[in-house]
Amino acid sequence: MSVISVERAVPDTSGLVRHDWTRAEVRALFVLPFPDLMFEAQRVHRVYFDPCEVQISTLLSIKTGGCPEDCAYCPQSTHYETGVTAEKLMSLDAVLAQARAAKQAGAGRFCMGAAWRSPKDRDLEQVCTMVEGVKSLGLETCATLGMLTPAQAERLKGAGLDYYNHNLDTSPDHYGDIITTRTYQERLDTLSYVREAGIHVCCGGIVGMGESEDERADLIATLASLPQHPESVPINALVRVEGTPLADAAQLDPLEFVRTIAVARVTMPRSMVRLSAGREEMTDEAQALAFLAGANSIFYGPRLLTTPNPAEARDRALMERLGLVPMAI
Ligand code: SF4
């Protein structure tokens, strides 16, 4: 019996942290045969992490709706009729009650999201009080409040904020089809202010928004060539919401989502790669593959801002079936 030998052009994925990933290299990773890509992702994952541990975050919308931005996927934008109404900033007590419940359910990090273009200074003060309160419960804190000035980033750091989330959303080339009210550069600027203030960065994007595979690769290449990789990289699958321009977007092949996770893992070996929005529509098997591809963080809880998330019981059952355990903070 003859054995067919296949020469495979496997790019350099030695697991060393690099910041000079080119688009071509990342695109080459995306088109590797699935077994080769998964093997590389597993190999790199095990260099820096226990593959059986999953970091658990809970996300709370502390200020819902009424956002002036026009992100084409977002039900909280005032540009679209989605049934989401604008609410006021939640009270400190209400936020702390949710944080206590999240901790009891096993979360290690509590993320607070507000639908603002950028926070007003008086609102920021209230958020700082929330950060201090949540931290005092023994949880890591994260906030996503829109664009920040350098002074606002410093203020959040002073309150003890551990992470700031600000996503790039998509590739530089696809960006103009998704958002017109803020530039890609403004996003990069906020990320650099957060970094300079000494806050950990949480930054990723959304796939399945009509981008090409090359554009998915370009998003990952942009993240992986930041001067310092984000400590958390949320990879979201678009949740198609009625009333938004992307309500009828074609559903992304789940294996393409898994590839995106794997490429993020290979190119950002020390980052937490978070399986974020879109899990509700994913099968347990697709999620299991995403964990095998190097995802090691999830959002836990029944809602992600305004869209559904798997029930905690389903998550617990899946983690048990896969032998996964929550990561200690
Ligand atoms: S994604 Fe954020 S910035 Fe964009 S419309 Fe929604 S809440 Fe506003």
Side-chain angles (χ1 to χ4, degrees), residues 28-52:
L29 284 173
F30 259 91
V31 296
L32 279 175
F34 194 72
D36 288 345
L37 177 57
M38 292 294 276
F39 180 79
E40 280 308 311
Q42 274 278 300
R43 190 176 69 77
V44 172
H45 192 184
R46 285 162 186 263
V47 172
Y48 294 103
F49 293 103
D50 177 339
C52 299

Side-chain angles (χ1 to χ4, degrees), residues 63 65-80 114-118 144-147 166 169 179 181-182 187 206 305:
K63 195 273 164 207
C67 182
E69 304 289 85
D70 69 351
C71 310
Y73 53 83
C74 183
Q76 303 200 66
S77 167
T78 51
H79 295 256
Y80 317 124
W116 289 319
R117 174 176 163 79
S118 51
T144 181
L145 314 171
M147 291 185 286
H166 200 61
D169 282 1
I179 300 134
T181 49
R182 76 174 68 160
R187 287 178 188 264
I206 307 170
L305 299 177

Side-chain angles (χ1 to χ4, degrees), residues 50-71:
D50 177 339
C52 299
E53 288 188 349
V54 177
Q55 188 270 335
I56 293 178
S57 295
T58 291
L59 175 61
L60 174 70
S61 178
I62 58 170
K63 195 273 164 207
T64 302
C67 182
E69 304 289 85
D70 69 351
C71 310

